[in-house]
Amino acid sequence: MEYGKIEREIHVDASPEVVYEVVSRPEHLREWWPDDATLDPTPGGVGELVWHGDGPERAMVVPMTVVEAVPPRLFSFRWAYEPDDVPDPSNSFLVTLELVPSGAGTTLRLTETGFRERGWEVATLEAAYREHATSWDRFLPRLARYAGQRVAAR
């Protein structure tokens, strides 16, 4: 296995406009992915993703930078593990979310790259890749449910 790229595709029962909001706005991101998020969802915009730990401190805070924002078709960002890093191609993962109209809903295509670029030894590379793949398999269905609930609430 190459461990270079994660690709996932799901159908979401919501328009590309709704799905775009759900993947690009911090108030929606925190409903399906991190515990908290701050983000300026424009190209070059920065923010952070926060996953709380079991104790009083924030367990994991990762910086992110928006690469592309083309409503309602494409949203991509880089995110880095180290809180003090400014995400760039050498130290971060690139997540691209393509939104394609599909009937009354949207086909969401996720691609995440940047694993091999980190220069990790094989065991670290494999573990990170598997962790991210498993996480997307858990979070993307939550995204689809949340987007569907947003449509139902309108």
Side-chain angles (χ1 to χ4, degrees):
M1 188 177 233
E2 285 294 315
Y3 303 109
K5 181 191 309 185
I6 294 171
E7 295 177 295
R8 297 290 186 267
E9 182 175 297
I10 62 168
H11 179 80
V12 181
D13 290 326
S15 69
E17 290 79 10
V18 170
V19 177
Y20 187 86
E21 283 184 21
V22 167
V23 301
S24 66
R25 310 282 310 165
E27 65 270 22
H28 298 303
L29 283 170
R30 60 179 74 107
E31 295 296 325
W32 63 270
W33 189 25
D35 294 317
D36 199 5
T38 59
L39 174 65
D40 170 4
T42 60
V46 297
E48 66 180 19
L49 303 171
V50 179
W51 285 269
H52 298 295
D54 296 329
E57 295 184 28
R58 300 190 305 180
M60 187 166 125
V61 179
V62 296
M64 64 184 298
T65 301
V66 176
V67 176
E68 288 185 90
V70 184
R73 302 284 183 241
L74 178 73
F75 188 73
S76 67
F77 60 90
R78 288 193 168 281
W79 63 303
Y81 276 157
E82 297 301 322
D84 296 329
D85 284 351
V86 174
D88 68 40
S90 71
N91 68 3
S92 66
F93 304 98
L94 175 64
V95 175
T96 302
L97 301 155
E98 294 178 75
L99 311 175
V100 179
S102 176
T106 302
T107 298
L108 182 148
R109 294 184 185 124
L110 173 137
T111 305
E112 185 175 25
T113 59
F115 296 91
R116 296 186 86 46
E117 292 79 358
R118 300 296 306 263
W120 286 327
E121 64 180 42
V122 173
T124 302
L125 170 65
E126 290 176 6
Y129 182 93
R130 285 192 181 109
E131 177 187 353
H132 284 233
T134 300
S135 292
W136 288 123
D137 290 341
R138 182 173 68 249
F139 290 117
L140 288 177
R142 288 175 61 177
L143 180 160
R145 281 191 300 278
Y146 176 71
Q149 291 168 355
R150 301 248 333 125
V151 169
R154 288 185 172 192

